[in-house]
Amino acid sequence: MKKRVLFCLVAGLACGGFFTSCSDDDDPTNDEIVVCPVGQTTYTDASGLVLTYSGQPVLGKQVVFAPDANDGSKAILIISGVLDLSSLTGMMAGRQDASAIGVPGVIPGQVTTTIPVDLTVSGDEVSFEGTTDQDGCTIAYEGSASEGGLTLNLNVTMPANDLTGATWTISGEAPIHFVWESDKQISIVPGMLDMPIGDIINLALSFPLLGEQTVNGALTQVFHSVTFGTDGNITAEYKKNMTDAEWATSPLNVAQYTANSGSLRLFLNPSMIIANIQNAGLSRSTTTDIVTNLMPVLLQYLATGIPMTYVQEGTNLSVYLETETALQFVEALAPIFQDEAFVAQIMQMIASNPSLGQLSNMITPVLQQLPEVIAATTNMEVGVNFQK
């Protein structure tokens, strides 16, 4: 009898130990450790980055994939911009250090965007998907990463502002917003006739400088409207040639903006600026001069955006550069108007159009006195007028 009791006791202890062992296997503290197969890596256009914003490609950015050292199921994506100076060779006026130049990130107004992500591990690849709110922006993201590349798709809703989601058509009557006030007037006839520089420029805009078209008229023929997207993109309807039957729409992720209470920041893609200037039909030397002189001004605004002002009155909208910023561009371009070859192009264009005879008498004194006028400038506004 005692043997039977002892046997049952030993058997019970054995069974208890067996089931206890099975229970330990289910203890969460003993779960298999997740190991991220992708180490910290910086991805660029040249090293496997495929980045889209609102479904369209974005170039000139980089993404750092940084896995959590303590948790293989988590990582951080650090998104920022990069600048390829090879396309700007000879146009940098001695500034060859990319690290000294601020570059915009992928979201307007954010130089760097950091997104924590939860990872799904599958073999040597990880994937991630989610939504986060940052600085008033809602960022929906999804993508995947491996040692060979990273795909990231972003859909962003920016904070609402006065311009969000609206389309504005260029004003048919006065599309160019231009104000130039200076304490120095242009002496057309010494001692007899002086004219404010603003009056001369506005007079020039009303003359048929482009064949039978005025500058104002030509602008309305090639530029139709702008739309301020909820994702921070600005798109435009335009024509590459005046003879085109349909309006084309500019691609996304070329021009972006932030806006608040009358202040607008315009973020531009420098590569597109160069391409547009080169397509303007000017001589190669003139094109190079324009790019060379404008580039240092534009580069300082890459990360922060070009500061502009917008004024909305009913169904009218004016968007323009104010004095401090506008003068930087004018001062950058001023040396070009002292160039003999460029002036010869202008004079030849005027000479070929009999209706510009009155204007031709003003060209030489304007160019000669331009530095003094710029130095004495008290107010300048340069931009575009729109209607809703």
Side-chain angles (χ1 to χ4, degrees):
M1 181 66 178
K2 291 182 180 180
K3 290 183 179 180
R4 181 175 297 180
V5 172
L6 181 61
F7 173 80
C8 291
L9 179 60
V10 173
L13 290 173
C15 290
F18 172 78
F19 286 113
T20 301
S21 298
C22 290
S23 176
D24 287 345
D25 288 342
D26 294 332
D27 189 335
T29 60
N30 292 329
D31 282 348
E32 182 179 351
I33 297 176
V34 176
V35 177
C36 179
V38 183
Q40 179 160 326
T41 308
T42 299
Y43 301 90
T44 65
D45 298 333
S47 60
L49 175 62
V50 178
L51 177 63
T52 66
Y53 187 97
S54 295
Q56 296 299 313
V58 186
L59 301 177
K61 310 300 177 186
Q62 70 175 22
V63 178
V64 176
F65 177 86
D68 190 319
N70 299 314
D71 189 343
S73 66
K74 297 183 181 298
I76 295 176
L77 305 179
I78 305 170
I79 311 166
S80 59
V82 292
L83 181 62
D84 180 10
L85 293 181
S86 63
S87 62
L88 308 177
T89 301
M91 302 177 184
M92 292 293 297
R95 293 183 65 179
Q96 298 294 329
D97 182 10
S99 64
I101 302 171
V103 186
V106 68
I107 297 177
Q110 295 187 13
V111 175
T112 301
T113 300
T114 301
I115 304 176
V117 297
D118 294 324
L119 304 176
T120 299
V121 179
S122 178
D124 60 357
E125 182 178 271
V126 297
S127 58
F128 41 84
E129 182 176 3
T131 302
T132 183
D133 293 320
Q134 297 183 14
D135 298 330
C137 303
T138 299
I139 308 169
Y141 59 88
E142 64 91 14
S144 60
S146 65
E147 292 292 348
L150 183 143
T151 298
L152 177 60
N153 304 310
L154 298 175
N155 286 283
V156 178
T157 302
M158 297 291 291
N161 57 68
D162 301 332
L163 306 177
T164 299
T167 296
W168 296 84
T169 302
I170 192 168
S171 173
E173 297 180 359
I176 297 178
H177 179 96
F178 187 85
V179 176
W180 191 348
E181 299 170 355
S182 174
D183 289 337
K184 164 65 179 176
Q185 294 193 343
I186 298 294
S187 178
I188 304 299
V189 180
M192 296 180 61
L193 178 61
D194 293 345
M195 288 186 66
I197 183 64
D199 290 353
I200 294 175
I201 299 297
N202 281 308
L203 180 63
L205 296 176
S206 67
F207 273 84
L209 297 176
L210 305 173
E212 298 180 357
Q213 283 278 6
T214 66
V215 176
N216 278 323
L219 185 60
T220 61
Q221 293 295 311
V222 297
F223 182 21
H224 183 243
S225 67
V226 293
T227 298
F228 296 91
T230 57
D231 64 352
N233 267 297
I234 297 178
T235 53
E237 285 189 322
Y238 70 102
K239 291 182 180 179
K240 294 181 178 180
N241 301 293
M242 291 186 183
T243 55
D244 292 347
E246 302 293 335
W247 297 105
T249 301
S250 62
L252 296 180
N253 309 320
V254 173
Q256 296 179 313
Y257 78 104
T258 59
N260 183 37
S261 302
S263 296
L264 182 146
R265 290 276 175 169
L266 178 64
F267 300 87
L268 297 176
N269 182 321
S271 298
M272 292 299 296
I273 295 172
I274 294 172
N276 288 336
I277 292 177
Q278 290 175 338
N279 290 332
L282 298 173
S283 68
R284 184 176 182 85
S285 61
T286 300
T287 297
T288 301
D289 287 343
I290 291 175
V291 174
T292 301
N293 284 288
L294 281 180
M295 196 54 62
V297 180
L298 290 172
L299 287 175
Q300 68 176 308
Y301 291 120
L302 282 183
T304 60
I306 300 173
M308 304 186 75
T309 294
Y310 68 92
V311 176
Q312 182 179 350
E313 297 179 349
T315 58
N316 297 318
L317 174 71
S318 296
V319 182
Y320 52 88
L321 301 171
E322 291 204 72
T323 306
E324 182 179 353
T325 309
L327 266 179
Q328 291 184 58
F329 288 97
V330 172
E331 290 170 346
L333 290 174
I336 298 172
F337 291 93
Q338 309 297 318
D339 180 77
E340 293 182 1
F342 183 72
V343 173
Q345 276 188 295
I346 296 177
M347 299 305 292
Q348 183 179 4
M349 178 180 66
I350 292 174
S352 64
N353 191 333
S355 63
L356 299 181
Q358 180 182 351
L359 190 62
S360 63
N361 296 328
M362 300 181 183
I363 294 298
T364 300
V366 167
L367 296 179
Q368 290 176 340
Q369 299 168 58
L370 192 59
E372 295 177 74
V373 173
I374 293 174
T377 295
T378 57
N379 184 39
M380 179 178 286
E381 298 175 2
V382 183
V384 182
N385 296 320
F386 299 95
Q387 295 175 330
K388 199 166 187 178

